[in-house]
């Protein structure tokens, strides 16, 4: 009886096995790409903060002037965690972090924010007047939204969108304010220096007068002795003269 070869069971398709083994690799690749994208975004955000206009904390936090206090705090928390030096390889991440922190502090200070908002409102009014537009227009007004397409504006060579124009005007006004502030500080320091010099001269003069008075008092006995010696000598000379004449 001859041996009849037994039929071999069909082997499993290799494609299903390779497919299942590729799933973890795909996930790992996706995670790697995600991390790289996140790191790149963090560095981009660091660069944005470093290049932001430092006199306008709204620009640094990437917010507009209508932001509520809770919006400011929320945005600060998000950005501070996103660009934290411990999570960002950018060499200037610490600088960006400090700039961000200062911006949040300025907007959280009621008096500083009120002053900033007043300056921004003034810049806005000045810009609207220069464009011969009502000063009570809001940013969602069609005349501002379509400003760059307005034939009258194009005729004047103004083709810049409203928000960009406003941003530049605010920057200009804030720079002017900062220049005035620094000049005032410099003038105050100069005045303080002048006052300090005057006080120093007064103190020196009083000190010199006190030293002269002290020296005068200390030499009093010497002067008295000299006078007594002079008087005694003069009397002797007179007596001698009288005796000769007699």
């Amino acid at each position: 009886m001859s041996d009849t070869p037994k039929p071999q069971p069909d082997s499993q398709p290799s494609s299903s096995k390779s497919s299942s083994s590729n799933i973890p690799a795909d996930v790992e690749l996706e995670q790697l790409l995600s991390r790289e994208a996140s790191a790149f975004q963090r560095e981009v955000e660091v660069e944005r903060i470093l290049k932001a206009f430092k006199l306008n904390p709204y620009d640094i936090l990437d917010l507009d002037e209508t932001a509520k206090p809770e919006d400011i705090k929320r945005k600060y928390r998000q950005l501070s965690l996103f660009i934290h030096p411990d999570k960002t390889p950018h060499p200037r991440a610490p600088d960006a972090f400090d700039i961000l922190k200062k911006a949040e502090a300025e907007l959280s200070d009621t008096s500083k924010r009120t002053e900033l908002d007043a300056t921004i409102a003034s810049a806005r009014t000045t810009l609207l007047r220069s464009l011969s537009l009502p000063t009570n227009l809001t940013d969602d007004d069609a005349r501002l939204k379509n400003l760059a397409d307005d034939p009258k504006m194009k005729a004047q060579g103004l083709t810049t969108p409203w928000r960009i124009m406003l941003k530049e005007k605010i920057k200009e006004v804030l720079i002017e304010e900062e220049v005035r502030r620094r000049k005032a500080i410099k003038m105050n320091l100069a005045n303080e220096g002048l006052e300090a010099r005057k006080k120093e001269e007064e103190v020196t003069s009083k000190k010199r007068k006190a030293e002269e008075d002290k020296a005068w008092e200390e030499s009093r006995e010497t002067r008295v002795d000299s006078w007594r010696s002079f008087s005694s000598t003069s009397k002797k000379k007179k007596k001698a003269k009288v005796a000769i004449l007699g």
Side-chain angles (χ1 to χ4, degrees):
M1 184 175 182
S2 61
D3 294 331
T4 304
K6 296 180 180 180
Q8 298 293 327
D10 295 336
S11 59
Q12 294 292 330
S14 61
S15 59
S16 62
K17 185 177 180 181
S18 61
S19 176
S20 61
S21 64
N22 285 338
I23 292 176
D26 291 343
V27 172
E28 185 178 351
L29 178 59
E30 185 177 344
Q31 291 175 346
L32 176 62
L33 292 175
S34 178
R35 285 196 299 270
E36 290 181 351
S38 178
F40 175 74
Q41 290 169 353
R42 292 175 196 274
E43 295 201 8
V44 168
E45 186 61 21
V46 168
E47 287 292 336
R48 185 196 68 78
I49 292 172
L50 292 173
K51 293 177 181 178
F53 182 47
K54 303 302 182 293
L55 296 178
N56 190 349
Y58 289 113
D59 274 2
I60 296 170
L61 286 165
D62 198 21
L63 293 168
D64 60 35
E65 301 80 34
T66 62
K68 298 178 180 179
E70 54 268 28
D71 297 330
I72 294 171
K73 291 187 180 298
R74 186 184 306 111
K75 190 62 177 289
Y76 169 71
R77 283 196 297 269
Q78 292 173 349
L79 291 178
S80 62
L81 289 173
F82 192 63
I83 67 155
H84 196 280
D86 292 343
K87 298 181 179 180
T88 310
H90 196 292
R92 294 195 62 194
D95 296 334
F97 187 81
D98 290 342
I99 292 171
L100 191 67
K101 187 175 181 179
K102 182 181 178 183
E104 190 271 338
E106 289 180 355
L107 291 183
S108 296
D109 186 313
T110 304
S111 61
K112 288 184 178 180
R113 185 179 181 185
T114 299
E115 184 179 350
L116 175 64
D117 288 347
T119 302
I120 290 175
S122 175
R124 193 177 193 281
T125 299
T126 301
L127 180 58
L128 287 170
R129 284 176 179 168
S130 70
L131 297 172
S132 301
L133 292 171
T135 57
N136 60 349
L137 291 183
T138 57
D139 287 347
D140 58 355
D141 190 287
R143 283 170 288 183
L144 295 181
K145 284 185 175 182
N146 303 321
L147 190 65
D149 299 324
D150 189 326
K152 293 181 181 179
M153 297 301 169
K154 286 184 177 181
Q156 299 177 41
L158 301 174
T159 57
T160 305
W162 162 251
R163 288 302 303 177
I164 295 178
M165 290 178 66
L166 179 59
K167 184 176 181 179
E168 291 301 316
K169 187 63 179 178
I170 291 172
K171 182 177 181 179
E172 176 187 329
V173 173
L174 286 174
I175 289 175
E176 291 174 355
E177 288 285 336
E178 180 65 11
V179 169
R180 281 195 290 268
R181 186 185 71 82
R182 293 187 181 186
K183 284 183 177 179
I185 291 175
K186 188 176 181 180
M187 186 175 295
N188 288 336
L189 289 175
N191 291 335
E192 288 175 2
L194 181 61
E195 289 296 323
R197 284 195 297 273
K198 285 183 178 178
K199 289 182 179 179
E200 186 178 351
E201 289 174 359
E202 289 176 3
V203 171
T204 302
S205 177
K206 289 179 180 179
K207 185 177 180 181
R208 183 169 56 249
K209 180 71 167 54
E211 290 174 349
E212 290 174 352
D213 292 343
K214 183 180 179 181
W216 175 263
E217 287 297 326
E218 289 177 348
S219 63
R220 182 176 180 180
E221 291 298 328
T222 303
R223 294 196 310 274
V224 170
D225 291 343
S226 297
W227 172 252
R228 286 173 179 170
S229 177
F230 174 76
S231 297
S232 176
T233 303
S234 297
K235 288 179 180 178
K236 289 179 180 180
K237 286 182 178 180
K238 286 181 180 179
K239 287 180 180 180
K241 187 175 182 181
V242 170
I244 293 172
L245 291 176

